[in-house]
Amino acid sequence: MTHILSDAAPGAASPSCAPGFAGRASALLAAARGLVPSLEAGRPIDSAALRAAMVGALDGTDAEGAWDWKSAYDACEAAEILFLRRYGQTITGRAPGNALALIERVAALLPTHTRRSETSQALQQYSTPPGLAYVASIAAALVPGDHVLEPSAGTGMMAVHALLARASLTLNELAETRAELLGSLFPGIAVSRHDAASIDDRLPLTVRPTVVLMNPPFSAVAHVDRTMRDAAMRHIASALARLEPGGRLVAITGASCSPDAPTWRDAFVQLQDRARVVFTAAIDGKVYARHGTTIDTRLTVIDKVLADDPSVLPTSAGIAPDTATLLGWVLNQVPPRSPVAPAPVAALPVTASASTVRAKARAASMDATPPVPDTPAIELAYETIDWAPPAERLSEGIYEPYALQSLRIEGAQPHPTPLVQSAAMASIAPPKPSYRPHLPPQLATLGILSDAQLESVIFAGEAHAGHLSGAWKVDVTCDVVTAAPEDVDGSVRFRRGWFLGDGTGAGKGRQVAAIILDNWLKGRRKACWLSVSDRLLEDAQRDWSALGQERLLVTPLSRFKQGSDIRLEEGVLFTTYATLRSQERGGKKSRVEQIVAWLGADFDGVIVFDEAHAMANAAGGKGERGDVAPSQQGRAGLRLQHALPNARIVYVSATGATTVQNLAYAQRLGLWGGDDFPFATRGEFVTAIENGGVAAMEVLARDLKALGLYAARSLSFDGVEYEMLEHRLTAEQVRIYDSYASAFAILCAARHKMPYREEAVMRRN
């Protein structure tokens, strides 16, 4: 039960032998291996022995900040898991009561958790006691062939029993060091790092567990600073949604989370609309005493079968004073499992990744499950069709229903929510494409990508298949681009780009991931994904993993210091515009140069400018008070495009440009400077479009769509009902509003004086 591990004391330097989370996990594993001989000999591990093991593994003391005691207790638990991996088959082969006694005898050799970090206390990082973990595995009735999911795996105390039962495993742990430690303790098994409260939304569709073992936080939620009473129910609901029909979920929660409790009755009744609670019993808090708390807990068993009457809930078996009593109740009262009826979902291909390579290396020293072979992708099947304007005139509305116009995709599913496009865009069809993307067929047949999203992949590939007219010379700064004859040394041609202008809800992130995946399966194993915030990294990883790919292949640039080499053989590099604009300093090359060095000058993979409007004003322009200098973000985006002329550029923005001047970043659309559009320079283009007003912008969008370079769809609000909600202001609220309005009026009245005041200050200085 963990979310975030305090990896070192605040302000402490990381020891040289354990840089980063992987290094720290490796050191904890080394300490654990040093403790195993004591367990084998039946010798208690006291604080002195534990301190000696940690100092030896991390080359420093806790007083020096090399490690903290929470990490030391994790090493103890890892030692017990290594012990169980070696002797567990012998122990669990005995009668359940005898096996439980042996497991708890070994657990008694480990020290009591007497020291807790603030993070572990706030986020309730209490691992499952070994005896309770064994009882939970008995309640799960594990059999060979089961696929067990542990959403909050911690150090793997329950997962090891699934391994002993010869079940396959999927583990998830948000804490970075513990996730790395799990990867070492369970080699060859994928360890994801999601917030388990939304595990069903995060995991690939290939993960179809028949059993869920879970010990979620009782009232703590990741990234939330206050107590959340329904935290455990959130975790259970999400894991239950992922469980196969007929499967079993065993959860350890706080004792108060009971079907008997009036507070939780409605939640359990709602849960029984899709499952059935078959057993629940509270456990005395002394079971957790050696793990640093005495809170009463509860074991609940839920089968994913329909309840006869959702309102009828089982009565709690009582409060078990110890795990032996609880085991007796489980053996006598928990019913046999129901047959599992797997959902009709075909396996999606998962490409090899750096984590897979590391898992194979670890498997050389320990038994590991062999990796699933890749499933080859095939060309997406579609046919082109002749489109004609509808016989009926367009409606008087602003928007028209969206439908594919130039092609028909075999087996594709419609978008989950109806889409619309503007009337101007609906009046013209894109050209018939010839590009054939490579994608796993399940993405279309299972509706993971809708027909509209697949159309984007096709037209992006069609646009990228050609180059803009003319040849160009790029100076050493990558700021200045001038026309040049094609036969001049050093001249380049720019590959054509594509613009995705879909609105919210059309799935822009998933479309971007699909475009990258298409190129990935064609052998272009490097890509760059730019966006406006680091917070969107998890969204990018989610969209990438939704297509059946390893989420950690999407790697943030922030992991690599400016000026250092990017040590990735392949992957999707994620960065922000704010990071991209970092210029050369202190002899360290700029971020743009760092990315170009990794991609290579001849790079022909995908570069995605997500939320591309963040590069507005890339070339400067005119403002109310004169010339406006180009934005640093816009200039950095242009430099990246100029430095990699063969890259496949994708612009993504629902608001591509507030003014036509802000389209300067879209250099790869060929809007000026060539034969594709009748504007010799960007200035001529800006002048012509500004003179034409909104109508000219609509014509421009239509022309780009007609060339296959632009798509813009939005969610339909047809049938949505609106209701006016009036809030009557109190007298105090009216007074506050009037005060702000009066202050704003004064500022507006004095606005014309500001330029003169600035000029006077400059003259005086």
Side-chain angles (χ1 to χ4, degrees):
M1 174 173 52
T2 178
H3 275 293
I4 298 175
L5 178 65
S6 177
D7 294 295
S14 298
S16 58
C17 65
F21 300 113
R24 194 168 290 117
S26 178
L28 292 181
L29 183 63
R33 285 175 173 154
L35 298 172
V36 170
S38 295
L39 298 180
E40 292 174 332
R43 292 193 305 269
I45 299 173
D46 57 15
S47 298
L50 179 55
R51 180 183 287 108
M54 293 295 289
V55 170
L58 287 113
D59 196 25
T61 67
D62 57 322
E64 295 168 344
W67 50 275
D68 61 12
W69 281 93
K70 185 68 179 69
S71 299
Y73 298 142
D74 286 348
C76 288
E77 293 170 10
E80 181 153 9
I81 289 170
L82 292 174
F83 179 88
L84 288 174
R85 288 204 59 160
R86 187 174 300 176
Y87 304 103
Q89 293 286 358
T90 302
I91 293 174
T92 57
R94 299 168 180 260
N98 295 335
L100 175 62
L102 283 173
I103 289 172
E104 294 197 323
R105 187 183 305 170
V106 174
L109 300 175
L110 299 174
T112 300
H113 298 193
T114 57
R115 312 183 198 188
R116 290 179 286 177
S117 66
E118 291 182 2
T119 301
S120 66
Q121 187 167 355
L123 296 177
Q124 303 169 355
Q125 293 177 333
Y126 306 117
S127 299
T128 310
L132 183 56
Y134 174 70
V135 175
S137 71
I138 294 297
L142 298 170
V143 296
D146 270 333
H147 185 173
V148 179
L149 167 66
E150 189 172 359
S152 301
T155 55
M157 199 60 72
M158 287 197 288
V160 69
H161 292 286
L163 201 66
L164 295 175
R166 302 188 183 280
S168 60
L169 268 172
T170 293
L171 302 178
N172 179 77
E173 175 54 41
L174 185 60
E176 299 278 4
T177 301
R178 282 187 164 185
E180 291 287 348
L181 184 59
L182 283 169
S184 300
L185 292 170
F186 301 91
I189 294 172
V191 181
S192 57
R193 304 180 186 182
H194 306 299
D195 178 7
S198 57
I199 195 68
D200 181 46
D201 297 325
R202 304 295 186 182
L203 290 179
L205 292 178
T206 48
V207 179
R208 313 298 303 179
T210 56
V211 173
V212 174
L213 291 171
M214 61 189 307
N215 185 353
F218 297 167
S219 57
V221 174
H223 314 303
V224 176
D225 295 330
R226 61 186 179 87
T227 299
M228 301 291 289
R229 294 181 61 254
D230 64 341
M233 289 301 295
R234 293 188 186 191
H235 285 248
I236 291 173
S238 187
L240 189 63
R242 178 50 64 104
L243 184 65
E244 288 280 69
R248 172 164 288 182
L249 182 149
V250 180
I252 298 171
T253 65
S256 62
C257 188
S258 169
D260 293 337
T263 304
W264 298 107
R265 175 177 170 76
D266 290 342
F268 278 96
V269 169
Q270 184 177 3
L271 181 147
Q272 286 209 141
D273 286 336
R274 50 180 171 149
R276 177 187 296 170
V277 180
V278 297
F279 175 82
T280 183
I283 311 153
D284 190 274
K286 68 181 182 182
V287 172
Y288 259 97
R290 298 186 66 86
H291 283 249
T293 183
T294 55
I295 186 172
D296 292 346
T297 53
R298 176 172 296 277
L299 183 75
T300 301
V301 182
I302 303 170
D303 284 349
K304 196 169 182 179
V305 296
L306 293 179
D308 297 331
D309 184 353
S311 63
V312 177
L313 295 168
T315 303
S316 176
I319 301 179
D322 49 42
T323 51
T325 303
L326 180 65
L327 176 62
W329 291 352
V330 166
L331 292 173
N332 294 327
Q333 300 181 30
V334 174
R337 283 173 52 184
S338 302
V340 175
V345 177
L348 293 176
V350 180
T351 60
S353 66
S355 59
T356 306
V357 173
R358 290 194 298 270
K360 290 179 180 178
R362 290 194 298 264
S365 59
M366 301 175 71
D367 294 336
T369 304
V372 179
D374 291 346
T375 302
I378 62 173
E379 284 190 352
L380 181 66
Y382 69 87
E383 60 177 337
T384 58
I385 57 177
D386 294 323
W387 180 82
E392 302 85 5
R393 295 180 57 188
L394 295 176
S395 67
E396 296 180 356
I398 300 176
Y399 295 100
E400 296 291 330
Y402 181 82
L404 275 61
Q405 295 169 296
S406 299
L407 54 92
R408 182 182 296 110
I409 304 173
E410 181 180 352
Q413 305 294 321
H415 200 73
T417 305
L419 298 176
V420 295
Q421 61 182 334
S422 68
M425 295 285 282
S427 65
I428 194 168
K432 294 181 180 179
S434 59
Y435 177 79
R436 300 280 172 172
H438 279 77
L439 292 172
Q442 299 92 332
L443 299 185
T445 57
L446 297 179
I448 298 172
L449 292 173
S450 67
D451 55 359
Q453 293 171 329
L454 290 167
E455 182 190 37
S456 297
V457 182
I458 295 171
F459 279 108
E462 184 77 11
H464 293 153
H467 289 74
L468 301 178
S469 60
W472 309 86
K473 290 277 288 187
V474 181
D475 74 337
V476 293
T477 66
C478 295
D479 278 327
V480 181
V481 178
T482 55
E486 293 187 8
D487 55 354
V488 172
D489 290 342
S491 64
V492 298
R493 295 190 64 196
F494 290 111
R495 186 181 294 276
R496 188 184 297 116
W498 188 72
F499 202 120
L500 177 60
D502 285 353
T504 302
K508 294 190 290 294
R510 189 166 293 193
Q511 294 177 69
V512 166
I515 293 170
I516 295 175
L517 178 59
D518 170 36
N519 284 272
W520 184 279
L521 297 177
K522 285 182 166 65
R524 305 180 188 103
R525 294 299 179 99
K526 289 183 179 180
C528 187
W529 190 330
L530 294 101
S531 196
V532 293
S533 171
D534 280 328
R535 293 192 300 271
L536 298 176
L537 169 64
E538 188 169 345
D539 292 343
Q541 292 175 331
R542 176 204 62 203
D543 292 324
W544 180 247
S545 64
L547 304 184
Q549 307 307 303
E550 170 53 57
R551 68 184 291 272
L552 295 181
L553 282 173
V554 182
T555 305
L557 177 61
S558 57
R559 290 189 179 177
F560 305 98
K561 294 181 179 179
Q562 183 173 349
S564 65
D565 293 333
I566 298 174
R567 298 176 302 279
L568 293 175
E569 294 184 4
E570 61 184 31
V572 181
L573 190 68
F574 182 93
T575 188
T576 65
Y577 296 107
T579 301
L580 184 70
R581 72 188 183 196
S582 300
Q583 301 181 12
E584 181 182 358
R585 57 185 177 183
K588 299 177 180 179
K589 56 189 175 184
S590 68
R591 286 295 195 179
V592 170
E593 293 172 318
Q594 185 184 30
I595 294 173
V596 171
W598 176 63
L599 295 175
D602 58 347
F603 173 70
D604 64 346
V606 179
I607 297 179
V608 178
F609 291 100
D610 191 12
E611 306 292 350
H613 52 267
M615 296 187 293
N617 194 34
K622 297 287 186 179
E624 293 182 359
R625 298 174 59 187
D627 294 338
V628 178
S631 68
Q632 292 298 319
Q633 292 184 175
R635 291 180 63 187
L638 283 177
R639 287 194 194 107
L640 187 60
Q641 296 180 65
H642 295 159
L644 301 169
N646 210 29
R648 290 166 160 81
I649 303 296
V650 178
Y651 307 105
V652 183
S653 175
T655 55
T658 53
T659 66
V660 68
Q661 291 183 358
N662 288 343
L663 270 176
Y665 65 80
Q667 181 244 13
R668 295 295 186 89
L669 297 182
L671 297 174
W672 56 82
D675 298 333
D676 299 308
F677 272 80
F679 304 107
T681 65
R682 184 186 66 86
E684 291 184 14
F685 166 76
V686 170
T687 301
I689 300 300
E690 283 184 337
N691 291 339
V694 176
M697 290 292 286
E698 288 190 351
V699 172
L700 172 63
R702 289 177 67 249
D703 289 348
L704 286 173
K705 179 184 176 182
L707 291 171
L709 303 180
Y710 181 62
R713 292 77 56 102
S714 302
L715 291 184
S716 173
F717 288 92
D718 185 30
V720 174
E721 297 181 357
Y722 300 90
E723 180 180 354
M724 294 295 294
L725 179 63
E726 181 182 1
H727 172 70
R728 294 185 179 275
L729 298 178
T730 65
E732 177 63 13
Q733 290 172 331
V734 171
R735 186 192 65 78
I736 293 173
Y737 182 88
D738 290 344
S739 298
Y740 276 112
S742 299
F744 188 72
I746 294 172
L747 292 175
C748 290
R751 183 181 59 178
H752 69 283
K753 299 179 181 179
M754 294 304 297
Y756 304 104
R757 176 168 295 183
E758 291 176 3
E759 183 178 354
V761 171
M762 291 175 64
R763 287 178 177 175
R764 184 181 63 192
N765 291 341

